Amino acid sequence: MATSSDNVDNVVRTLRESLKSLGFEVYPFKIGWYNAVVSQAHHLQYSADTLAVVVLSTPSMFENSFLPFLQRCSWKGIRDPVDQCVAHAISTCVSEHFPDQSVDMAFDYEMLPSRKPKFLAQTAAHVAGAARYYQQSDIQDPPWGNKKMFGVCIHPRLGGWFAIRAVLVWKDVEVGEELQRVSPPDCVSSQEARIELLERFNYRWQDWTYRDVVPTEESYSPQQREYFITPPAQREALLRQWGFLPDTEAEAQTSVNQC
Ligand code: B12
């Protein structure tokens, strides 16, 4: 079993170098940090010191990965094309750079047979220091009574203009003190601002104003907004209108560019 800090640095540096230009960010954490806060039913079944990373997509993922993916690869209309693109980018990076290492990959949309998500993306982003997770429990005397309010992560530079896509686990890499825990920046610090944030996310998430709760460096381009505002069932038609045609089953099987 590897234990050196070289290993952590190497994993993180390699992933960052390879995924940054595709519009992804990478943050390491220890499985124990995640398991310490979630309930037993959500535990990830690895030892506490096992190395994991959480992968976020930033606004540029759409132009730098997704549009080229549609052009380059044959994709099938069965599964969400953004999910197909993200899975392809991340798994290609892992198999190219870590061919001899045992890496488990879980994506945000994947569910267990129990119908629970394979990992809780927001908790992973928080414990890795990537984006602070604001929950109902962070509000003193919440004004909503017993109503369940969903929590939301806010990134210090991207506000809400990002998604949490994957957790990768280096099953054979254990890390010690060399991986120091970093707190996610608290950019929505007042009680009033947190209440406003949770209300926007729960009552008005379709207007996307929760994403601009803090000033941001980047946000989605007009084309990306048009894509994500379009209901999922109509996105294939939009892609056709833009000139990207999904392959038929037969074409996909013979295509040389299939990814
Ligand atoms: C199921 C789901 C939904 C469901 C239910 C939402 C929910 N939160 O339960 C529905 C369909 C309603 C939904 C809707 C939306 N969703 Co949704 N959804 C998910 C999904 C797949 C799983 C969430 C889940 O089941 N949570 C289970 C509950 C129990 O978890 P929890 O409340 O966080 O509880 C845990 C924590 O409290 C933790 N914990 C306890 N103490 C402490 C202490 C600390 C410090 C920490 C960190 C944690 C912690 O332990 C608890 C578990 O034991 C995630 C992706 C994923 N794989 O995680 C996306 C996700 C949460 N959704 C997301 C989004 C954006 C949305 C929508 C805006 C639609 C959209 N995609 O644009 C809407 C907005 C919500 C609304 N107003 O309806 C984003 C949120 C991004 C962000 N910035 O936070 C996610 C992360 C997807 C992504 N890829 O980025 N969603």
Side-chain angles (χ1 to χ4, degrees), residues 95-225:
S95 56
E96 264 177 22
H97 295 286
F98 305 97
D100 305 322
Q101 300 204 31
S102 210
V103 184
D104 281 349
M105 285 182 269
F107 295 95
D108 59 323
Y109 53 84
E110 290 185 319
M111 300 290 151
L112 296 166
S114 62
R115 306 191 60 80
K116 288 192 165 50
K118 280 199 172 173
F119 68 93
L120 297 180
Q122 295 159 308
T123 295
H126 183 105
V127 300
R132 190 176 173 105
Y133 186 24
Y134 294 96
Q135 309 187 70
Q136 201 163 6
S137 53
D138 294 317
I139 314 281
Q140 293 140 19
D141 300 324
W144 311 293
N146 290 331
K147 189 183 174 337
K148 161 86 184 155
M149 297 289 276
F150 299 131
V152 58
C153 283
I154 295 297
H155 185 290
R157 283 177 292 100
L158 303 173
W161 299 99
F162 70 103
I164 307 154
R165 299 292 182 177
V167 160
L168 315 179
V169 181
W170 265 256
K171 289 199 291 187
D172 300 327
V173 179
E174 290 210 337
V175 284
E177 294 299 308
E178 69 272 18
L179 184 58
Q180 289 292 313
R181 190 157 172 181
V182 182
S183 290
D186 181 6
C187 38
V188 188
S189 52
S190 75
Q191 290 291 306
E192 297 71 31
R194 290 178 181 184
I195 290 170
E196 175 66 20
L197 170 63
L198 290 190
E199 292 191 343
R200 287 186 194 179
F201 187 68
N202 282 265
Y203 302 148
R204 301 187 294 279
W205 62 270
Q206 290 97 333
D207 71 12
W208 290 0
T209 54
Y210 79 86
R211 298 183 192 262
D212 283 320
V213 69
V214 295
T216 60
E217 282 177 9
E218 279 177 73
S219 68
Y220 293 175
S221 63
Q223 190 177 18
Q224 178 164 195
R225 287 176 197 228

